[in-house]
Amino acid sequence: MARPRSDSPSLFEILEKPDFSFETKAMTNGLWPCAGLDEAGRGPLAGPVVAAAVVLDPANIPSGLDDSKRLTAVQRDALFDEILGKALGVAVASVSAASIDASDIRKASLEAMRRALAGLPLTAKSALADGRDVPPDLECTCRALVKGDQRSQSIAAASIVAKVIRDRIMTVCGTQDDRYGFEVHMGYATARHRAAITEHGAAHRLHRVSFAPFRN
């Protein structure tokens, strides 16, 4: 006799959704405003790493905030506009490919987050950063959250803003130099991108020459 099929989702189908609990705790502890920090562009072969800092309005949080990688481009664009319209503060910063080469991608990502936090139009008393590391030299306390963009709505909002801005930067790069297809792959190591690198070499000031395949 066949076993009846459950209509409940399996453990592996349940996705953790970000909430506002970390921010609420910060408010309770007198550490408000609390900013979410995240970056986009650690892995690509080209372009800057872009970070965003977002302070959400607790009374007006956009619906549907999530890790930018779990959203479609259409969803990200819509939420980007909503975040900018509803948040108490948003700031974006970037670190160029040349600066990444002069240091390393981890340090560059943390520096971009530091700059984004410093660029907010209001002074944050605390921050939540995606990942394992706290950006150095911050003017406030900060907590690092592994998979923070799937746990904190403020970090999720920052991940969306950073991703949308970086994608738009790379799209412009693609219109300025049509040899590589940046507007399609956003600088990631796709087969098309690698083939273009083999044919044309590195794009000056845009490719990260400290990354493979350039080092090889």
Side-chain angles (χ1 to χ4, degrees):
M1 180 177 178
R3 295 176 61 184
R5 181 178 175 83
S6 172
D7 61 356
S8 299
S10 72
L11 175 63
F12 300 103
E13 292 173 336
I14 299 173
L15 293 178
E16 186 175 22
K17 294 291 185 180
D19 60 29
F20 207 65
S21 59
F22 293 102
E23 295 86 341
T24 299
K25 185 175 181 180
M27 278 190 278
T28 301
N29 293 334
L31 296 174
W32 185 263
C34 177
L37 306 176
D38 203 0
E39 51 74 27
R42 284 186 71 136
L45 303 179
V49 60
V50 175
V54 177
V55 178
L56 293 173
D57 181 351
N60 199 14
I61 298 174
S63 177
L65 293 176
D66 202 349
D67 173 3
S68 63
K69 297 183 291 296
R70 302 201 302 206
L71 301 171
T72 66
V74 171
Q75 290 172 322
R76 287 195 297 266
D77 284 340
L79 282 167
F80 175 85
D81 291 337
E82 197 171 356
I83 292 164
L84 265 58
K86 293 182 177 180
L88 299 177
V90 178
V92 178
S94 66
V95 173
S96 69
S99 295
I100 293 169
D101 289 334
S103 138
D104 62 55
I105 187 58
R106 174 184 166 276
K107 291 177 182 177
S109 298
L110 295 175
E111 172 61 14
M113 286 194 277
R114 185 196 69 78
R115 294 179 187 179
L117 184 66
L120 282 170
L122 69 170
T123 301
K125 290 188 177 180
S126 63
L128 300 167
D130 183 52
R132 298 182 180 278
D133 301 311
V134 170
D137 303 322
L138 299 183
E139 298 296 326
C140 67
T141 183
C142 182
R143 177 177 178 181
L145 292 177
V146 176
K147 293 187 178 180
D149 44 13
Q150 298 176 23
R151 301 166 66 191
S152 158
Q153 289 178 322
S154 296
I155 297 178
S159 79
I160 293 166
V161 172
K163 172 64 174 169
V164 170
I165 291 292
R166 188 179 187 282
D167 282 358
R168 292 179 181 181
I169 290 172
M170 297 310 296
T171 298
V172 171
C173 290
T175 64
Q176 298 298 312
D177 188 338
D178 62 4
R179 296 177 297 170
Y180 300 93
F182 292 126
E183 72 283 2
V184 176
H185 51 66
M186 306 305 167
Y188 283 88
T190 63
R192 173 181 177 178
H193 191 189
R194 287 182 175 274
I197 291 169
T198 299
E199 181 178 359
H200 303 293
H204 180 56
R205 299 182 63 186
L206 191 55
H207 277 111
R208 304 172 183 179
V209 294
S210 60
F211 281 36
F214 304 104
R215 287 185 287 103
N216 299 327

